Amino acid sequence: MIENLELILTRAQQALAGVEQEADLQAWRVRHLGRSSELSQVLDGLKELPREQRPAVGKRANEVKTALEAAHAARQAKLQATALEQALSRERVDVSLPGRRIPLGRMHPATQTLLEVYAIWREMGFQVYRSRDVETDAFNFELLNIPAYHPARDQWDTFYTTTPGVLLRTHTSPGQIRVMRERAPEPIRVILPGMCYRYEQISARSEIQFNQVEGLAVGENITFADLKGTLNAFARRMFGDQVQTRFRAAHFPFTEPSAELDIECFVCGGAGCGVCKSTGWLEILGSGMVHPTVLLNGGYDPQRFSGFAFGMGPERLTMLKHRIEDIRYFWANDLRFLEQF
Ligand SMILES: [Zn+2]
């Protein structure tokens, strides 16, 4: 019987040495340590043995059982260690791989131009004055010398709200009245940037929303020479010291006299090209001396005070600078466009 036990032990150990899979290990356990295993049969049959053989056979049988259980545990630990090692090498993180780049955001091209414009006017002592986007008919038109019957109203196709007399501002000029009423009779040096809205057919040249930067200087003894000098200084800072400028007579209801400022075309140097429509000049802003009626509406006595105002479109400046041919790119949110700036 003892020899039989040694045989059971040897065979089980040999079988275990060939076990490589978790499932095989389970099967091995059932076969060699399970209820119907040879070893269990020996243990179950102890009571059938002659009394004097029982202690020796029982002792050895239990030793074999303990040895096989220990061998099973050792094998199981080894299989788990191997499995873990394989998983680690399979799922290894390669730290030498380059990292994934996080795309960097940047300023919208119109915002870049706006910041450039702010910086120039700030250096010349102008503050930024922000005004509301939703305006009344009075501030957007009437107080700027554009009464309801005035034909100039046709120039501003307007978004009206459902509230009578309330509209989306068509230009930043109503801010002039607001800042004058707030500061009169103090002198004023401000720029008024912001979004404007026009009820227009959207095309390559016109959008229903766009930025404007308005400027206003009010004080005593401000003359047309101040307007020319200041705007020339702006043009030189914006487009370079060598830039040639010219003032062209124009008409706006809220300024008198009025002028548009052109700069020599920087694409062709004045020779004439497609960008300047063969004129050699590019229009960059409108300007003029503040109309006496507007000064009065703002709370300034036109006998004592005078001032000048101007307005420009940052999108238009950006289009000229980068030769962008379609204004619709600005709000289309197409990254292929935006990533170029
Ligand atoms: Zn040109």
Side-chain angles (χ1 to χ4, degrees), residues 265 267-270 272-276 280:
C265 178
V267 178
C268 62
C273 69
V275 177
C276 60

Side-chain angles (χ1 to χ4, degrees), residues 113-122 124 126 191 213 226-241 243 245 247 261 263 284-285 308 310-314 317:
T113 305
L114 267 176
L115 293 179
E116 208 179 320
V117 169
Y118 292 172
I120 293 169
W121 289 107
R122 183 177 60 225
M124 294 200 278
F126 283 71
I191 54 169
V213 179
D226 295 313
L227 178 154
K228 285 187 76 174
T230 309
L231 292 180
N232 272 327
F234 167 77
R236 280 196 300 274
R237 288 178 191 221
M238 188 81 194
F239 300 101
D241 281 340
V243 74
T245 59
F247 286 85
L261 175 63
I263 59 166
I284 59 161
L285 56 82
F308 64 83
F310 53 88
M312 66 191 90
L317 295 180

Side-chain angles (χ1 to χ4, degrees), residues 136-261:
T136 61
D137 189 279
F139 277 86
N140 196 78
F141 291 121
E142 302 254 350
L143 295 168
L144 290 167
N145 205 25
I146 317 167
Y149 57 79
H150 200 289
R153 282 214 180 190
D154 295 345
Q155 290 171 25
W156 293 277
D157 294 307
T158 310
F159 282 114
Y160 290 95
T161 67
T162 49
T163 311
V166 177
L167 46 85
L168 295 182
R169 65 177 174 192
T170 57
H171 48 181
T172 44
S173 306
Q176 288 190 25
I177 301 290
R178 295 198 177 273
V179 67
M180 281 194 279
R181 289 192 171 181
E182 198 180 293
R183 309 238 173 125
E186 298 297 318
I188 294 173
R189 303 276 186 281
V190 292
I191 54 169
L192 307 106
M195 199 64 89
C196 302
Y197 309 87
R198 302 259 175 104
Y199 183 53
E200 281 190 62
Q201 182 70 44
I202 296 173
S203 71
R205 300 245 138 232
S206 56
E207 253 288 3
I208 58 168
Q209 60 166 38
F210 52 90
N211 282 293
Q212 255 190 4
V213 179
E214 186 111 356
L216 177 68
V218 177
E220 291 181 77
N221 303 316
I222 292 181
T223 69
F224 197 80
D226 295 313
L227 178 154
K228 285 187 76 174
T230 309
L231 292 180
N232 272 327
F234 167 77
R236 280 196 300 274
R237 288 178 191 221
M238 188 81 194
F239 300 101
D241 281 340
Q242 304 306 315
V243 74
Q244 296 294 312
T245 59
R246 75 171 182 189
F247 286 85
R248 207 163 19 81
H251 172 263
F252 305 110
F254 31 82
T255 47
E256 180 60 35
S258 307
E260 273 169 349
L261 175 63

Side-chain angles (χ1 to χ4, degrees), residues 295-307:
L295 280 174
L296 203 58
N297 289 338
Y300 289 84
D301 176 2
Q303 297 299 323
R304 197 181 140 202
F305 293 95
S306 55

